[in-house]
Amino acid sequence: MKIIVTSLFVQDQEKAFKFYTEKLGFEKKHDVPVGEFRWIALVSPEDQYGTELILEPNNHPAAQEYQKKIYADGIPATMFGVEDIHKEYERLSENGVRFTMEPKKMGEDTIAVFDDSCGNLIQIIQQ
């Protein structure tokens, strides 16, 4: 068994699609209309057949409450791995991404946290 799909609640699917593709560099795998929303699946350009990230609309009250509370408590909604966190920090910062925590060594790993502008904090890690 392996993880093939993971989802992230977003406040605005179109805004999230632009952020995750244009600023972060993920690529569209699927973008299918589903009623008033879309099934948006993104993948890493380095792993086209890897785990898909679904940009899930947070239209359910429980999803909205969950998203608001973990954001308010400073808890990242998910984590992405990077090869060189300092290089990625510079690239993303230059691309207008707002970090809430600059790269910081935590034991053997180095992490940083940014705001995805769609209701989530996202942690990146270099292991």
Side-chain angles (χ1 to χ4, degrees):
M1 188 178 304
K2 63 182 181 175
I3 299 169
I4 60 169
V5 173
T6 187
S7 63
L8 187 63
F9 290 118
V10 296
Q11 296 164 335
D12 179 317
Q13 283 188 299
E14 182 59 26
K15 182 178 180 183
F17 178 77
K18 287 181 179 176
F19 180 88
Y20 281 83
T21 57
E22 295 172 10
K23 293 199 181 280
L24 301 187
F26 287 105
E27 294 180 353
K28 175 181 75 172
K29 184 151 187 183
H30 306 286
D31 187 354
V32 180
V34 182
E36 65 181 289
F37 300 108
R38 295 155 56 191
W39 177 261
I40 302 172
L42 307 176
V43 293
S44 167
E46 292 127 24
D47 192 3
Q48 293 288 315
Y49 300 101
T51 304
E52 296 177 17
L53 174 64
I54 307 301
L55 300 178
E56 189 78 38
N58 74 346
N59 63 316
H60 190 281
Q64 293 169 7
E65 190 67 17
Y66 167 79
Q67 188 181 33
K68 284 180 197 171
K69 286 190 174 193
I70 66 168
Y71 184 93
D73 286 346
I75 300 170
T78 196
M79 180 189 310
F80 301 139
V82 297
E83 295 274 330
D84 182 332
I85 199 162
H86 296 286
K87 184 177 175 183
E88 197 65 21
Y89 172 79
E90 290 301 320
R91 180 184 79 83
L92 294 175
S93 294
E94 288 171 4
N95 210 5
V97 175
R98 185 180 69 80
F99 278 80
T100 61
M101 186 176 96
E102 295 181 5
K104 182 177 183 179
K105 188 85 170 156
M106 301 285 238
E108 298 294 315
D109 304 321
T110 303
I111 64 171
V113 178
F114 63 84
D115 186 325
D116 77 351
S117 74
C118 303
N120 302 293
L121 295 174
I122 307 295
Q123 183 171 297
I124 56 175
I125 185 169
Q126 175 185 317
Q127 298 178 304

